[in-house]
Amino acid sequence: MAPARMRMSRTALLPVVFLLVCAIPLAFAATWTLVFLLLPLLVAAWVLRVGVDVDDDGITARSLAGHRTVGWTELAGIRVSERRELWLVTTGGTEVRLPVLRARDLPRLAALSGGRIPQTQ
């Protein structure tokens, strides 16, 4: 199975462009204020990088700084938090948050798992 990627919508970059436009006058006010241009760049990198990959090896949760892969044999279940976020529960008792996924995405995640995560009604 080819890796399936679930990422944040690219329309989330529109507020980042607005943030960049707002930061430009502030950034050029003095030499040291050029660091204000880093904020829109970090937010854009976060929008483009953070997400979940599903493939034959397991589920990979990607963050801005790294990633964590949970193999299918390590997966004990999926927990839905009070805020409707999805968490992978491993056989070792640890939990891994699935960024950008919510409870409404559970049927799509189950379909991409190739039957490894049962479909719920």
Side-chain angles (χ1 to χ4, degrees):
M1 155 170 86
R5 301 178 135 200
M6 293 186 280
R7 298 285 189 267
M8 188 176 292
S9 173
R10 298 302 181 237
T11 58
L13 290 173
L14 291 174
V16 175
V17 171
F18 181 71
L19 179 62
L20 178 65
V21 169
C22 292
I24 287 174
L26 184 61
F28 290 107
T31 306
W32 69 270
T33 58
L34 285 172
V35 297
F36 288 120
L37 292 178
L38 291 178
L39 182 62
L41 294 177
L42 285 173
V43 174
W46 180 77
V47 168
L48 295 172
R49 166 98 172 127
V50 172
V52 175
D53 297 338
V54 180
D55 59 14
D56 289 331
D57 297 332
I59 300 175
T60 303
R62 296 195 181 279
S63 67
L64 186 59
H67 67 277
R68 167 100 190 266
T69 301
V70 176
W72 293 114
T73 58
E74 300 172 50
L75 183 63
I78 297 178
R79 181 176 70 85
V80 180
S81 72
E82 290 178 6
R83 294 177 49 191
R84 313 290 290 165
E85 298 170 332
L86 296 182
W87 292 77
L88 294 179
V89 180
T90 65
T91 54
T94 61
E95 293 185 352
V96 178
R97 184 176 173 271
L98 295 176
V100 308
L101 293 186
R102 298 288 181 257
R104 68 178 177 267
D105 300 313
L106 197 50
R108 183 174 167 215
L109 182 63
L112 292 173
S113 73
R116 295 178 182 104
I117 299 173
Q119 295 265 352
T120 59
Q121 299 295 333

